[in-house]
Amino acid sequence: MSSEGKDQRQSPTDYDINDVLRQLDELEGTVDTSKERQEVRRTRRMLESVPGSDRIRKYTSRDIAEGFVGGIIFALPLLVEDGVFEIAEWFVEFTVASIPIFFVINVLFIVGLVSGLLYFTDIRNVQVRLLFGFLPKRLTAVLLISLCVAAGTMLMWGRLTAEGPSNFEMLARITVIWAAAALGASLGDILPGESSGTDIADRVAEIGDRESGSPE
């Protein structure tokens, strides 16, 4: 073998736990029985608990709780501000070709803000894992949790229907609070690092395997 070929080969010291975890993810998609899939997940959980992986991969029930608390902390100060109503009115009234352009921009801003914090900053090294094969799992969860926080707190505190807004204006009010809640949920999720416990997707998959009764 030529020296050039040897240089192109990856030595064992070039591998780390993240490479093994990635291979296990691929292996899980190729095994045939529920028992084999459970063994792959068990092995992956064991490796994730070993020091040496600097990525946040799992999304657990603790991450949901951290995101919820972070969203609440950032949303509460805005709930008592009447400026939320003025911003919502601006979103509704300003249109370009009948499109509420600033409302749309605000929603895109929220998605971009959360994506940037989770995946494109150096706060944490977050592994992108897909839901249904195309939705980033952590991004989707953080957006939904913060949206629920915004809508729930607005409704509970009587700020959603105050002063008789239209349905669209109520939605606009929610998106104003959503921006703050999404920022808080993102930081609350990733700042503590990777949470302990079993990944929610693994829990759901294991329940599905048991219910399906796949032959082994």
Side-chain angles (χ1 to χ4, degrees), residues 1 21 24 34 36 44 51 64 97 130 138 142 149 151 160 190:
M1 182 180 294
L21 291 171
L24 286 173
S34 61
E36 290 172 339
R44 188 175 64 206
I64 294 176
L130 300 180
R138 189 174 297 270
V142 169
V149 167
L160 192 59
I190 63 175

Side-chain angles (χ1 to χ4, degrees), residues 56-111:
I56 297 178
R57 297 173 52 87
K58 297 185 294 181
Y59 192 77
T60 71
S61 57
R62 295 189 181 187
D63 291 308
I64 294 176
E66 291 167 354
F68 180 80
V69 171
I72 288 288
I73 291 173
F74 277 65
L76 287 183
L78 289 182
L79 290 174
V80 298
E81 296 292 336
D82 290 341
V84 172
F85 297 169
E86 297 176 3
I87 297 172
E89 290 175 4
W90 171 247
F91 284 168
V92 172
E93 293 173 358
F94 188 92
T95 60
V96 175
S98 300
I99 298 175
I101 189 69
F102 286 128
F103 173 85
V104 175
I105 291 174
N106 185 58
V107 173
L108 295 177
F109 167 74
I110 294 169
V111 176

Side-chain angles (χ1 to χ4, degrees), residues 8-191:
Q8 292 177 349
R9 294 181 59 185
Q10 191 174 25
S11 67
T13 57
D14 292 332
Y15 295 102
D16 60 17
I17 291 178
N18 293 314
D19 295 312
V20 181
L21 291 171
R22 188 161 46 251
Q23 291 296 319
L24 286 173
D25 286 339
E26 296 176 2
L27 177 61
E28 184 179 346
T30 63
V31 296
D32 298 323
T33 68
S34 61
K35 183 176 180 180
E36 290 172 339
R37 286 192 292 271
Q38 290 172 5
E39 288 298 325
V40 172
R41 296 187 194 113
R42 186 177 296 110
T43 303
R44 188 175 64 206
R45 288 197 292 270
M46 291 171 61
L47 281 172
E48 287 172 340
S49 65
V50 174
S53 175
D54 61 350
R55 293 185 180 181
I56 297 178
R57 297 173 52 87
K58 297 185 294 181
Y59 192 77
T60 71
S61 57
R62 295 189 181 187
D63 291 308
I64 294 176
E66 291 167 354
F68 180 80
V69 171
I72 288 288
I73 291 173
F74 277 65
L76 287 183
L78 289 182
L79 290 174
V80 298
E81 296 292 336
D82 290 341
V84 172
F85 297 169
E86 297 176 3
I87 297 172
E89 290 175 4
W90 171 247
F91 284 168
V92 172
E93 293 173 358
F94 188 92
T95 60
V96 175
S98 300
I99 298 175
I101 189 69
F102 286 128
F103 173 85
V104 175
I105 291 174
N106 185 58
V107 173
L108 295 177
F109 167 74
I110 294 169
V111 176
L113 174 66
V114 175
S115 301
L117 283 172
L118 293 180
Y119 303 122
F120 301 107
T121 66
D122 291 331
I123 298 176
R124 295 291 183 189
N125 186 0
V126 180
Q127 176 74 37
V128 179
R129 302 186 70 180
L130 300 180
L131 186 66
F132 306 123
F134 66 97
L135 288 175
K137 179 172 59 177
R138 189 174 297 270
L139 171 64
T140 302
V142 169
L143 288 173
L144 289 177
I145 290 169
S146 57
L147 179 59
C148 290
V149 167
T153 52
M154 287 284 285
L155 179 63
M156 183 176 64
W157 284 31
R159 305 293 283 172
L160 192 59
T161 58
E163 302 181 8
S166 64
N167 290 336
F168 185 35
E169 192 172 337
M170 285 192 287
L171 178 60
R173 290 181 181 184
I174 290 173
T175 63
V176 176
I177 303 298
W178 187 21
L183 174 61
S186 302
L187 295 176
D189 179 17
I190 63 175
L191 283 181

